[in-house]
Amino acid sequence: MHDPVETVRTAVSGGIGSLVLDRPGALNALDLRMVRGMREALDAWRADDAVRAVVVRSTSPKAFCSGGDIRAVREAALRGDHAAVREYFVSEYGLNAAIAAYPKPYVALIDGYALGGGLGISVHGAVRVVTERSGLAMPETAIGFFPDIGASYFLPRLRGRTGWYLGLTGRRISGAAAVECGLATHYVHSVEFAALERELTATGGERLTEVLGRHATVPPASELAGHREAIDRCFAADSLNGVFERLTAEGGDWAEETLAELRRASPSALHVTFELLRRGARPDASLADCLALELRTACRTAATHDFAEGVRAALVDKDRRPTWDLAQLDTVRGWFEQ
């Protein structure tokens, strides 16, 4: 079932524990073996005095991590192996929680795409470095799923209503935009990445702020510039229908493009996403609370028509023409009324 080649390479050098994602043929999509490998390394290094900081990076210049291995989840769901579906999500979300609570600096070097689960193994860390080649997104509504891996916690806590905008539309943003809204912490030109990693290793993870400061630069104006007020205005609606209404009233190219993105998404996935973001935005919500609700919702969603159809259209047949089940909307509404 799994690629026999090692897909997460681990090493300790100069006080740095390195997690190197090396599954380039699948754009580092996280299968269960990779998730477990990362978790085992982090658990081993937690109390290891030889490791003072952790750095995670990719061998591919194209993708840091394209997300979870959602095709494998779909296959398990289609054959009725609900235990396998749950096992995957339990393991992935457990890794996300472990990164968020890690007692040592966790540095993600995001050069290339970081989508879905790729944010789960980066955003929860203390340092998220991006470049001009980075592209970050939670694109799940387009495949009949929802932004998970703790996104219902971190998206509502981004600047303004940007998290709601990104979570509902699945819009991919640049490294500059990621720093601007809070998904990333530092912007470094890609040509500096190798030098940054060498210096981190040479200093053994000490003086982290100083090292980052020598390589980081102020990002250029992002594609969010000029749209922030409209994002905050339209995505502050207290219902999903309200978002559509405000975008319609907003008018203009940006609003029309945003409406088109929402209309291409699964209606049931949009409903689930809005509800999870609403709950995750509560001041008393914790990451643990959000991950627990996401786990219940993910196991249910994996068994739905829209998930199977969305993954088929995007990743299996790649025709980009999913047929959504509008009747499913009543079912998912019931999930949050119990």
Side-chain angles (χ1 to χ4, degrees):
M1 178 177 178
H2 296 298
D3 185 344
V5 177
E6 187 178 16
T7 50
V8 176
R9 294 191 279 110
T10 63
V12 176
S13 177
I16 298 293
S18 296
L19 295 169
V20 181
L21 308 179
D22 192 16
R23 194 187 178 199
L27 298 178
N28 290 329
L30 295 170
D31 62 13
L32 188 57
R33 180 186 178 193
M34 294 175 72
V35 170
R36 287 174 171 168
M38 293 184 70
R39 180 65 186 273
E40 288 170 4
L42 290 175
D43 288 348
W45 295 338
R46 177 181 287 271
D48 186 346
D49 293 338
V51 177
R52 293 188 292 274
V54 173
V55 173
V56 56
R57 66 174 177 86
S58 164
T59 60
S60 167
K62 185 175 182 180
F64 170 74
C65 174
S66 62
D69 192 355
I70 213 70
R71 289 184 62 168
V73 173
R74 176 183 184 267
E75 290 167 4
L78 288 176
R79 64 175 181 265
D81 192 349
H82 305 301
V85 171
R86 181 176 178 82
E87 180 183 20
Y88 179 82
F89 288 124
V90 166
S91 299
E92 185 182 26
Y93 298 175
L95 174 60
N96 303 149
I99 292 170
Y102 210 63
K104 302 176 181 183
Y106 180 98
V107 181
L109 301 181
I110 308 169
D111 190 22
Y113 298 135
L115 311 178
L119 294 187
I121 60 169
S122 55
V123 168
H124 296 297
V127 178
R128 293 92 66 187
V129 184
V130 292
T131 76
E132 76 282 0
R133 301 192 301 193
S134 301
L136 289 73
M138 294 298 297
E140 288 80 5
T141 58
I143 59 168
F145 203 62
F146 62 90
D148 60 336
I149 50 86
S152 61
Y153 178 80
F154 68 75
L155 285 178
R157 287 164 177 77
L158 297 183
R159 181 177 176 183
R161 302 294 284 199
T162 306
W164 298 71
Y165 167 59
L166 299 180
L168 289 165
T169 64
R171 173 65 65 90
R172 185 178 300 179
I173 59 172
S174 66
V179 172
E180 182 181 332
C181 72
L183 280 177
T185 58
H186 298 79
Y187 187 89
V188 173
H189 291 298
S190 57
V191 294
E192 292 282 314
F193 251 41
L196 171 60
E197 188 173 14
R198 284 196 301 270
E199 191 167 352
L200 286 172
T201 301
T203 59
E206 296 179 349
R207 304 194 305 276
L208 180 60
T209 301
E210 179 183 333
V211 171
L212 288 166
R214 278 198 288 273
H215 294 275
T217 187
V218 177
S222 81
E223 67 275 18
L224 296 178
H227 299 305
R228 179 158 303 286
E229 290 184 2
I231 289 171
D232 292 349
R233 191 162 49 240
C234 295
F235 286 85
D238 59 7
S239 69
L240 184 59
N241 285 340
V243 171
F244 277 86
E245 291 169 358
R246 292 191 184 192
L247 285 167
T248 301
E250 186 75 21
D253 292 343
W254 172 84
E256 288 299 323
E257 183 180 351
T258 303
L259 280 168
E261 288 173 321
L262 292 173
R263 287 168 180 151
R264 285 193 293 268
S266 158
S268 60
L270 290 176
H271 177 83
V272 169
T273 298
F274 192 92
E275 181 62 23
L276 290 177
L277 292 175
R278 186 183 67 80
R279 295 187 180 209
R282 294 170 179 168
D284 61 345
S286 67
L287 175 60
D289 294 335
C290 290
L291 285 170
L293 180 55
E294 288 177 12
L295 176 59
R296 294 195 296 274
T297 308
C299 291
R300 285 172 159 174
T301 303
T304 64
H305 167 275
D306 276 14
F307 175 70
E309 173 65 4
V311 177
R312 178 206 66 76
L315 301 176
V316 181
D317 298 334
K318 300 182 181 181
D319 58 23
R320 303 289 175 178
R321 298 180 62 183
T323 301
W324 306 124
D325 180 7
L326 298 182
Q328 184 179 303
L329 188 55
D330 290 333
T331 300
V332 301
R333 282 176 175 146
W335 295 350
F336 301 100
E337 294 171 358
Q338 300 172 4

